[in-house]
Amino acid sequence: MDIARASRDADKAAKKMHLFMTSLPVRDQFEGDPMSKAFVKESDDEADLPDESPAVPAGFKNYMTPRGHRHMQDELRQLLRVERPKVVETVAWAAGNGDRSENGDYIYGKRRLREIDRRIRFLAKRLESAEVVDPKQQKRRDQVFFGATVTYATEDGTENTITIVGIDEADLARGQVSWVSPIARALLKAREGDTVELRAPAGVEPIEILEIRYGAADGETG
């Protein structure tokens, strides 16, 4: 895919997100800019990278916490308003500096622009399909559902605490696991005091639920 096509795809995806923008319409961020038009017609032999798309199970919605949704909105806004315009300007400048085939700034800039446009498309699609679920609004707090923060003990007595979040929010370093992960599936609908079976590559392991709380996915508990 050439740069012109990638740019058009990104513009279309960005326009879908105009409800998230608070100032200029998205189209005004891309159209009417002579620097942008200075290079988008240039052909590109490199194949475009595929979109990032962690799979959402068929028949299910793309569940996401309010915090995760805000972070994706913020990232999209940063790409559209700050990073992409800077790269467009750099590539336009580099395009006027002689042989483009040996111009490092031009080659790197086009590659970076493809990465940005790919990320814009991904974020736009994910936000468009998002089903925001606020853990603090959960009524059945005695059971494990999306957004729950669960402390459990393994068979040897080791305690772990995880929070069940959206596919795009998972961060093991922070104890945040995707709702489609094996541990989340094992804990679903369990209550404090229950023992459930975690099916792992090493075999089946019993784990005991010690505590369930809601709100931690947004930095609060309750």
Side-chain angles (χ1 to χ4, degrees), residues 60-222:
F60 289 88
K61 297 179 179 179
N62 180 25
Y63 299 112
M64 192 179 298
T65 67
R67 183 169 183 257
H69 191 260
R70 287 194 301 272
H71 283 181
M72 294 191 83
Q73 285 181 305
D74 290 344
E75 183 184 354
L76 178 61
R77 191 175 292 112
Q78 174 73 11
L79 290 172
L80 288 171
R81 296 180 177 179
V82 180
E83 293 194 37
R84 194 178 194 279
K86 283 183 179 179
V87 175
V88 167
E89 183 175 1
T90 298
V91 174
W93 169 81
N97 291 337
D99 186 356
R100 299 178 183 182
S101 66
E102 298 181 359
N103 188 323
D105 288 330
Y106 180 77
I107 294 171
Y108 171 79
K110 288 210 302 180
R111 183 181 301 116
R112 177 58 183 149
L113 185 63
R114 285 197 300 276
E115 293 171 353
I116 290 174
D117 286 348
R118 178 175 61 123
R119 185 64 179 171
I120 287 173
R121 290 194 300 268
F122 170 74
L123 291 170
K125 290 176 183 177
R126 299 304 269 184
L127 286 167
E128 185 178 12
S129 66
E131 180 77 12
V132 180
V133 178
D134 189 348
K136 292 178 288 187
Q137 301 302 316
Q138 176 60 246
K139 303 300 183 184
R140 300 165 65 182
R141 291 174 172 254
D142 62 330
Q143 285 183 277
V144 178
F145 293 104
F146 181 88
T149 294
V150 184
T151 299
Y152 64 90
T154 58
E155 196 169 20
D156 64 4
T158 301
E159 294 186 10
N160 299 283
T161 299
I162 55 96
T163 300
I164 301 173
V165 297
I167 292 174
D168 301 309
E169 303 173 74
D171 184 349
L172 292 179
R174 299 178 59 192
Q176 297 183 334
V177 302
S178 164
W179 62 273
V180 300
S181 64
I183 182 64
R185 290 177 178 273
L187 294 170
L188 182 63
K189 296 185 179 181
R191 292 180 166 84
E192 291 181 3
D194 285 353
T195 296
V196 300
E197 293 184 341
L198 171 61
R199 298 185 180 279
V204 177
E205 179 182 9
I207 57 176
E208 180 184 1
I209 289 76
L210 303 178
E211 182 183 19
I212 302 169
R213 61 187 188 277
Y214 284 88
D218 262 357
E220 301 176 11
T221 57

